[in-house]
Amino acid sequence: MKTTEGIDLVYGTDNLSHDVCDRAIEALEAGHVVFLPSYGFPVTGSDKPLFSPAVLNKDAKNVSYNPATRKLGGITTSEETTALLQDMMKRFADFAQELVTRLLPDYRNGLIQGRASFRPVEIEGRLTSWRKDDTRLHVDAFPSSPSQGKRILRLFCNINPDGRSRIWRIGEPFEQVAKRFLSSIKPPLPFSGALLQLFGITKSRQTPYDYYMLRLHDAMKADERYQAEVEKIELDFPAGSTWLVFADQVSHAAIRGQYQLEQTFLVEVEQLRDKDRSPLRALERLVGRKLI
Ligand SMILES: [Fe+2]
C-alpha cells in the first residue's frame, strides 16, 4: 500500500518545477503523505529555551498560535519566553504559508491559513480521554469550528533537538473507513446544526458533512478492535523533516515523538483538481444526498 510521496526538496530552493508541484498535488489528493526529508524548519539558537514541556499550561495539549492576531494559547511562561514563542511561531507560520503556496499553486486562491501549534510533550504514554487520544487511528474533524466541507490540509515539522523521529501510523483509505462505520451512524437530526450554533457550541453552522466527519472520528477512536486489527503502516519522520497531508482524508495516528510544529490550512473543495476524491464527495456518494 503506497502511503507517502517523497520529494527531495531543500530549504532555500528558489524555483519549484511544475513536475514537483504536480507530484505533490496528485499525491495529496490521492490520500498520501507528501514527505520532504530535507526541507526542515530552521530552528535558531534563540529558540533553545522553548524545548521544554514546561512552556505549556497544565491543561493544554499544545501551544496554539493564531497567525492573524499573533496571539498564543495554552502557555504558562515568563514574558521573555512568550516573546520567544511568538517569534518562533511567526517564523514557522510564514515558513508554512510560503511552502504551501509555492508547492501547491493550484490551491492559492482557496487557501485559508488557520492556527498553528507547537507540541512539546512526548506523545507516547500521555494520559488522555479516548476521544483526544491521537495515538488511535482517526481522520481529523473540528468539533467547535465546522469546516463546512473545506479540506483540512496540515503541514508538520519535526524539530526534535535530540534527533528523535516522530512515528505515525497510517490506516486504510477514506472510502473504506467510511463504508465500515457509516452504517452505525444515525443521520443528523433536522435543525441540530442551527441549535449547536445558537447555543454557542459551534462557532459556525455544523453542516451534515461536519456531523458525519465528527461521528467518523469518534467511531474510529472508540473501536478498540478496529484499532488493533485494521491494516496499518508505520511511518518514521526524522528530525529536520517536513510532511503534508489532508488530515480529513488520511487515517492517521501519532505514536511517538516530542517537539513538533504544525500549521493547519483550509482548502475550498472547488480548488481541488479532483473533487470526487474529497471526503465530502465520498460521503455524499455513500449517503446518497448532498451534505452541505
Ligand atoms: Fe489528527
Side-chain angles (χ1 to χ4, degrees):
M1 140 164 105
K2 178 183 161 116
T3 52
T4 53
E5 176 76 25
I7 296 182
D8 201 14
L9 201 64
V10 178
Y11 180 68
T13 309
D14 279 343
N15 293 315
L16 298 190
S17 69
H18 281 306
D19 174 55
V20 163
C21 300
D22 260 12
R23 274 172 56 210
I25 286 187
E26 279 304 314
L28 286 171
E29 293 193 8
H32 302 140
V33 177
V34 167
F35 175 46
L36 309 175
S38 313
Y39 200 97
F41 171 69
V43 174
T44 67
S46 60
D47 299 331
K48 254 191 178 167
L50 305 176
F51 288 93
S52 160
V55 299
L56 259 191
N57 163 329
K58 70 175 170 50
D59 299 320
K61 190 164 132 185
N62 306 313
V63 172
S64 70
Y65 175 73
N66 183 339
T69 60
R70 298 197 179 181
K71 277 204 170 139
L72 292 165
I75 52 167
T76 171
T77 55
S78 66
E79 249 172 60
E80 192 188 345
T81 318
T82 302
L84 291 177
L85 263 174
Q86 230 146 11
D87 176 62
M88 180 173 81
M89 296 309 289
K90 160 93 174 71
R91 281 187 286 117
F92 171 65
D94 291 347
F95 165 93
Q97 172 81 14
E98 199 223 350
L99 175 56
V100 165
T101 48
R102 288 175 68 216
L103 187 61
L104 310 170
D106 286 25
Y107 300 160
R108 258 181 215 161
N109 295 329
L111 193 71
I112 300 162
Q113 187 174 28
R115 281 171 197 263
S117 63
F118 174 47
R119 306 177 178 196
V121 177
E122 169 60 51
I123 310 163
E124 192 174 34
R126 186 169 58 176
L127 291 176
T128 182
S129 67
W130 63 265
R131 192 174 267 125
K132 288 187 176 168
D133 182 2
D134 291 337
T135 67
R136 299 174 188 224
L137 287 165
H138 64 283
V139 288
D140 286 356
F142 301 139
S144 59
S145 309
S147 80
Q148 300 179 326
K150 291 183 204 70
R151 304 300 312 277
I152 301 173
L153 175 69
R154 288 186 138 165
L155 180 150
F156 301 91
C157 292
N158 179 1
I159 55 167
N160 188 286
D162 305 317
R164 286 179 52 222
S165 292
R166 197 159 188 97
I167 308 296
W168 270 28
R169 283 188 190 132
I170 300 289
E172 57 189 359
F174 182 82
E175 205 141 344
Q176 244 164 281
V177 175
K179 276 182 187 153
R180 193 189 287 267
F181 288 103
L182 266 184
S183 60
S184 64
I185 299 172
K186 289 189 187 126
L189 294 169
F191 311 116
S192 61
L195 287 173
L196 289 170
Q197 189 178 8
L198 185 70
F199 290 113
I201 296 166
T202 58
K203 290 176 195 151
S204 55
R205 181 69 59 92
Q206 185 191 78
T207 65
Y209 168 73
D210 297 295
Y211 169 90
Y212 279 111
M213 289 300 289
L214 274 176
R215 294 302 179 290
L216 265 186
H217 167 277
D218 287 0
M220 292 172 81
K221 281 190 175 174
D223 191 333
E224 305 267 1
R225 189 163 167 192
Y226 173 73
Q227 293 289 332
E229 293 179 0
V230 71
E231 190 187 351
K232 46 189 137 2
I233 277 181
E234 203 158 283
L235 297 182
D236 180 309
F237 299 108
S241 68
T242 293
W243 62 106
L244 297 105
V245 66
F246 272 125
D248 52 3
Q249 177 178 7
V250 175
S251 166
H252 62 283
I255 305 303
R256 256 191 325 278
Q258 186 177 13
Y259 301 119
Q260 173 185 253
L261 288 166
E262 170 271 333
Q263 172 70 60
T264 298
F265 296 93
L266 295 176
V267 181
E268 299 279 358
V269 173
E270 289 311 308
Q271 300 298 317
L272 299 176
R273 236 176 232 192
D274 185 354
K275 299 164 192 59
D276 285 342
R277 291 188 289 191
S278 66
L280 173 63
R281 294 289 162 82
L283 287 176
E284 286 181 338
R285 277 194 298 275
L286 292 168
V287 176
R289 69 171 181 109
K290 287 262 177 220
L291 294 177
I292 54 170

